[in-house]
Amino acid sequence: MKDYSPGSGAGSPDLEASWAAETPTFQGNFLQHVWDGFKRDPQRRVTGRGVAGADGKVFDAEAAAQATADSPLSRRLKGRHLQMIAIGGSIGTGLFVGSGKALSDGGPASLLIAFVLIGLMLYCTVQALGEMAVCFPVAGSFSAYSTRFLDPAWGFAMGWNYALQWLVVLPLEIVAASITIDYWGTTVSNAAWVAIFLVLIVTINLFGVKGYGEAEFVFAIIKVIAVIGFIILGIILDIGGGPNGSYIGGKYWSNPGAFNNGFKGLCSVFITAAFAFAGTELVGLAAAETTNPRKSLPTAVKQVFWRICLFYIVSLTLIGLLVPHTDSRLIGSTSQVDAHASPFVIAINNAGLRGLDSVMNVVIMIAVLSVGNSSIYGSSRTLAALAEQRQAPQIFAYIDKRGRPLVAIAVASVVGLLAFLAASPQQDTAFTWMLALSGLSSIFTWASICLSHIRFRKAWAQQGHSLDELAFRSQPGVVGSWIGFIFNILVLVAQFWTGFAPVGHEQKSPLQNTSNFFEAYLAAPLVLAFYIPYKLWFKTPFMKCMDMDLRTGMRELDLGELLAEERAERASWPRWKKAYKYLC
């Protein structure tokens, strides 16, 4: 007789039967098992031929909503993955390096004002996204919400806008990572580093969403530790605790001053601040691949507020205290990742702390790799969702048995080969225009999220639902979405003005100013080029509140009972726990 006692190594017959049912049978050797994992998921669903919208000039919004809800993407992201994606996801070169140019253009006061206001905008935007993503954790997230709550043509434009943004960011970030190596004066060709970093990022994404989540978890921890370490160091340096022992305080706010280049300088910093927060919305895109978004997503969304306050506002306040905006090194960068132009590195070098500048350069390199990792994830999932809604070639909807959108990942990886242009004499021109393609993409995405939330709430009320039926409610509500939407429009206006007449445009030729404008605003005509033809061809309607689908995509069928139980449990919590859960 088999021994089923604890520690015997044998399981009960019932347990063994359940394990047999849950564990895939490994037939053949390991290689055969790996090969089988790349085969198409038999449960995959997309709109088939013969269904309205499959052929002809009709878009079937109901079938599109069903397809994104039924996507067979793997749901393996845990709460800790989402939280670190939310906390550290967008901490990158915009903070570590881009803030240097912003400080130079606008001064420390403009830097602080712009990041506070843009941070408020992103707080409202992510709260709105969180409410919709918890209610409808569907593939494609915000582009699918634009299709469902605004206009299918606008959803098409936003999906391709977002996919192209991340597609072109991949080669840019891989080249950027190779440039960080130049800080140490290595003689190895940049092309070699490009190959290494591209293989690394593609390999991570071939491990599926779990690989992406684990990599981002590690990257985010490193970035968070670096920022917290700098904050502690910055406070010590400012009060005179550095090697030279001199007290700095707020003297740079008096001389050379708190502002630079007036109102236009402030507008220039608004643009930099908005780009520094790019990627914040990825937490919503990941909802479709989360084990339990109703539990983990609200916590992750609330973390965004603390990330904005601690990692951006506090660290940039210290930067404004430690580095004068007239420092020539701030505008002497040779690329967007030149550590020599990082105000963090400049502050460390000014204090005479040797070795820490190299540590910060490593952090910058990790931040760049993190963005590259996110670029394959963001572009591949968006392309797959577009294909499932029949807004992209159907081959992109190929999802294998492990829940990976393989064809979309392959396309993103092939685009990454453009990084080898780093060895070309035309690399500056090529990368300037690739960057221009992605420049305003995030602003359009965020504005669409806010407007989708406004329309969703109106439809929710008109169709007879109450706010108590929502598993998670945006803390600033519809008012916050209006604030976020208006701020996004103001950023677009500011970008138009600073693109048309940037700081120092008087010293440039008309040809240079024209080129600068299109570099700053190329994404806008690109969005219109997607939207207008699709609108005219398919004659898509602006979605009316009573026609919006508010059921497809919800995971819990007994949501009302679950929410009632959870609210009863929360009522018994002590006040400190209620306050903590509200904030975090």
Side-chain angles (χ1 to χ4, degrees):
M1 176 182 288
K2 251 188 180 180
D3 178 15
Y4 297 118
S5 62
S8 66
S12 69
D14 290 340
L15 282 176
E16 288 177 349
S18 66
W19 289 340
E22 294 175 3
T23 306
T25 303
F26 298 143
Q27 295 180 349
N29 55 28
F30 173 75
L31 292 177
Q32 182 64 42
H33 172 61
V34 172
W35 176 256
D36 289 342
F38 285 95
K39 293 180 179 179
R40 186 190 292 269
D41 188 333
Q43 301 302 316
R44 143 189 191 282
R45 299 179 181 89
V46 294
T47 311
R49 292 189 176 277
V51 179
D55 303 295
K57 298 191 293 183
V58 181
F59 183 86
D60 187 352
E62 184 178 341
Q66 189 66 54
T68 55
D70 290 343
S71 174
L73 290 170
S74 175
R75 296 174 179 175
R76 300 183 64 191
L77 281 181
K78 305 295 184 184
R80 64 182 178 88
H81 297 134
L82 270 189
Q83 288 182 37
M84 293 313 293
I85 290 171
I87 292 174
S90 68
I91 297 177
T93 54
L95 174 65
F96 292 128
V97 181
S99 57
K101 185 178 184 302
L103 177 62
S104 175
D105 286 344
S110 291
L111 183 70
L112 199 56
I113 291 170
F115 271 84
V116 167
L117 292 178
I118 297 298
L120 173 64
M121 177 189 84
L122 258 295
Y123 167 71
C124 295
T125 301
V126 174
Q127 286 279 326
L129 175 60
E131 180 179 306
M132 292 187 292
V134 170
C135 194
F136 307 105
V138 299
S141 188
F142 25 83
S143 65
Y145 301 146
S146 293
T147 296
R148 188 183 289 205
F149 303 131
L150 299 178
D151 176 2
W154 188 250
F156 171 80
M158 286 300 95
W160 277 103
N161 165 69
Y162 196 71
L164 286 177
Q165 171 193 346
W166 285 118
L167 284 172
V168 300
V169 160
L170 177 59
L172 286 170
E173 296 302 322
I174 291 174
V175 171
S178 68
I179 291 174
T180 60
I181 304 295
D182 293 338
Y183 186 80
W184 294 293
T186 178
T187 57
V188 179
S189 168
N190 274 7
W193 293 112
V194 165
I196 292 170
F197 291 141
L198 180 59
V199 169
L200 173 64
I201 291 172
V202 172
T203 302
I204 288 172
N205 279 270
L206 284 178
F207 279 98
V209 69
K210 193 70 179 293
Y212 164 75
E214 293 295 350
E216 283 304 299
F217 183 79
V218 174
F219 289 154
I221 286 177
I222 294 172
K223 290 186 286 185
V224 166
I225 291 173
V227 173
I228 293 175
F230 177 82
I231 289 172
I232 296 170
L233 175 64
I235 294 172
I236 294 172
L237 295 177
D238 190 62
I239 61 177
N244 54 23
S246 60
Y247 175 78
I248 299 174
K251 69 177 184 180
Y252 294 136
W253 281 60
S254 301
N255 182 25
F259 292 94
N260 191 30
N261 294 315
F263 184 66
K264 184 173 286 187
L266 175 62
C267 288
S268 298
V269 180
F270 268 116
I271 310 305
T272 304
F275 295 159
F277 284 108
T280 306
E281 70 288 339
L282 278 170
V283 68
L285 192 66
E289 296 181 84
T290 302
T291 305
N292 189 351
R294 187 174 60 84
K295 288 284 190 180
S296 53
L297 197 56
T299 301
V301 166
K302 292 172 188 175
Q303 301 289 348
V304 172
F305 173 78
W306 298 109
R307 185 196 71 202
I308 291 170
C309 290
L310 178 63
F311 301 134
Y312 281 88
I313 307 305
V314 175
S315 63
L316 291 175
T317 299
L318 289 167
I319 285 298
L321 294 172
L322 296 172
V323 182
H325 68 74
T326 52
D327 194 309
S328 60
R329 290 169 291 182
L330 292 172
I331 56 174
S333 64
T334 57
S335 75
Q336 61 175 334
V337 289
D338 185 2
H340 293 93
S342 167
F344 291 79
V345 172
I346 291 172
I348 291 169
N349 287 335
N350 287 349
L353 298 171
R354 295 185 177 180
L356 282 183
D357 56 335
S358 290
V359 173
M360 186 54 66
N361 190 55
V362 171
V363 173
I364 292 172
M365 181 178 69
I366 289 172
V368 170
L369 290 175
S370 173
V371 176
N373 185 40
S374 296
S375 67
I376 288 189
Y377 178 81
S379 60
S380 63
R381 270 55 182 185
T382 305
L383 286 173
L386 285 169
E388 288 174 344
Q389 297 173 89
R390 303 199 74 84
Q391 294 178 328
Q394 289 297 283
I395 189 64
F396 290 145
Y398 184 102
I399 297 175
D400 70 5
K401 293 181 178 181
R402 296 183 179 275
R404 298 170 295 191
L406 276 185
V407 175
I409 290 175
V411 168
S413 304
V414 169
V415 174
L417 295 175
L418 289 174
F420 285 102
L421 284 172
S424 165
Q426 301 298 320
Q427 63 158 323
D428 290 340
T429 303
F431 289 128
T432 295
W433 290 105
M434 278 197 289
L435 191 61
L437 281 174
S438 65
L440 289 176
S441 296
S442 293
I443 309 299
F444 282 106
T445 297
W446 298 336
S448 297
I449 289 170
C450 292
L451 192 56
S452 294
H453 181 248
I454 293 167
R455 296 289 296 159
F456 160 70
R457 276 289 190 94
K458 188 174 182 181
W460 190 258
Q462 285 194 13
Q463 294 189 24
H465 297 282
S466 70
L467 295 182
D468 289 336
E469 297 176 55
L470 295 173
F472 172 72
R473 270 183 273 175
S474 166
Q475 291 173 343
V478 176
V479 173
S481 293
W482 274 115
I483 292 172
F485 180 71
I486 292 169
F487 263 86
N488 276 291
I489 298 302
L490 290 176
V491 170
L492 289 175
V493 173
Q495 176 72 335
F496 184 89
W497 182 39
T498 56
F500 181 75
V503 174
H505 71 280
E506 300 88 354
Q507 288 78 41
K508 296 179 180 179
S509 68
L511 182 61
Q512 287 176 312
N513 284 325
T514 302
S515 178
N516 287 340
F517 173 76
F518 281 104
E519 287 173 15
Y521 229 73
L522 183 61
L526 191 67
V527 167
L528 294 177
F530 278 111
Y531 175 70
I532 294 174
Y534 194 91
K535 181 76 175 175
L536 295 176
W537 180 259
F538 286 98
K539 297 180 173 60
T540 58
F542 295 104
M543 301 304 293
K544 297 178 181 178
C545 291
M546 294 307 295
D547 294 335
M548 293 181 192
D549 183 355
L550 300 181
R551 291 297 302 170
T552 305
M554 287 186 173
R555 285 196 193 172
E556 284 92 352
L557 298 178
D558 54 348
L559 184 60
E561 295 179 12
L562 291 172
L563 292 178
E565 292 175 5
E566 289 174 3
R567 285 169 184 147
E569 180 186 353
R570 283 198 295 268
S572 64
W573 289 348
R575 288 183 180 178
W576 68 265
K577 189 172 183 179
K578 289 180 181 178
Y580 173 77
K581 288 294 184 181
Y582 179 81
L583 295 172
C584 302

